[in-house]
């Protein structure tokens, strides 16, 4: 998919994702979440989810992806969670709580999405989905 087909904002957000400013990177993560199906965008989102400079970027990007309320967004977060260090992992877990675990409806939605990923072809995603489904 070319940049114009993805929307005018995607090229700018891709550029901002490389910024030295944490706030621009976090904003880029929020904006790029809408185009997460695009492989190029997904790669950039993965990098933002594991941002080594500021965990605010990690959490903002994760919350935007999870806010989509779909398997694609959750899968990207779980892929990152599988390889995240403890600090980033804590922020990814916090994003799951902030987006889904504030209401019964949110918990049900998370269970539905995670259930779909338990049989994912990537064993690390399947394991993370099982962890999400485990009682906490």
């Amino acid at each position: 998919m070319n940049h114009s087909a993805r929307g005018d904002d995607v090229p700018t957000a891709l550029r901002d994702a490389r910024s030295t400013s944490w706030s621009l990177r976090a904003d880029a993560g929020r904006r790029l979440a809408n185009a997460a199906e695009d492989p190029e965008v997904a790669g950039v989102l993965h990098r933002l989810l594991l941002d080594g400079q500021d965990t605010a970027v990690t959490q903002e990007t994760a919350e935007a992806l999870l806010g989509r309320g779909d398997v694609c967004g959750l899968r990207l977060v779980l892929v990152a969670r599988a390889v995240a260090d403890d600090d980033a992992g804590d922020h990814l877990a916090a994003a799951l709580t902030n987006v889904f675990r504030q209401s019964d409806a949110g918990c049900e939605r998370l269970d539905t999405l995670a259930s779909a990923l338990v049989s994912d072809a990537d064993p690390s995603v399947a394991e993370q989905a099982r962890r999400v489904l485990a009682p906490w």
Side-chain angles (χ1 to χ4, degrees), residues 74 78 109-119 129-130 132-133:
L74 178 59
L78 296 183
R109 183 70 183 147
L110 178 58
D111 285 352
T112 299
L113 295 173
S115 293
L117 291 170
V118 168
S119 59
R130 282 190 288 279
V132 166
L133 290 169

Side-chain angles (χ1 to χ4, degrees), residues 25-78:
R25 292 192 315 277
D27 184 58
R30 287 189 298 271
R31 289 183 286 150
L32 290 171
N34 292 326
E37 294 85 0
D38 181 311
E40 179 186 5
V41 171
V44 172
L45 287 165
H46 182 74
R47 184 172 44 80
L48 293 171
L49 287 166
L50 299 172
D51 190 280
Q53 297 174 13
D54 198 303
T55 54
V57 176
T58 298
Q59 191 154 342
E60 291 287 329
T61 302
E63 289 183 7
L65 284 165
L66 296 171
R68 293 167 47 109
D70 64 6
V71 170
C72 177
L74 178 59
R75 187 178 191 284
L76 286 172
V77 171
L78 296 183

Side-chain angles (χ1 to χ4, degrees), residues 99-111:
V99 173
F100 289 114
R101 292 184 170 142
Q102 301 298 317
S103 69
D104 289 341
C107 289
E108 289 174 19
R109 183 70 183 147
L110 178 58
D111 285 352

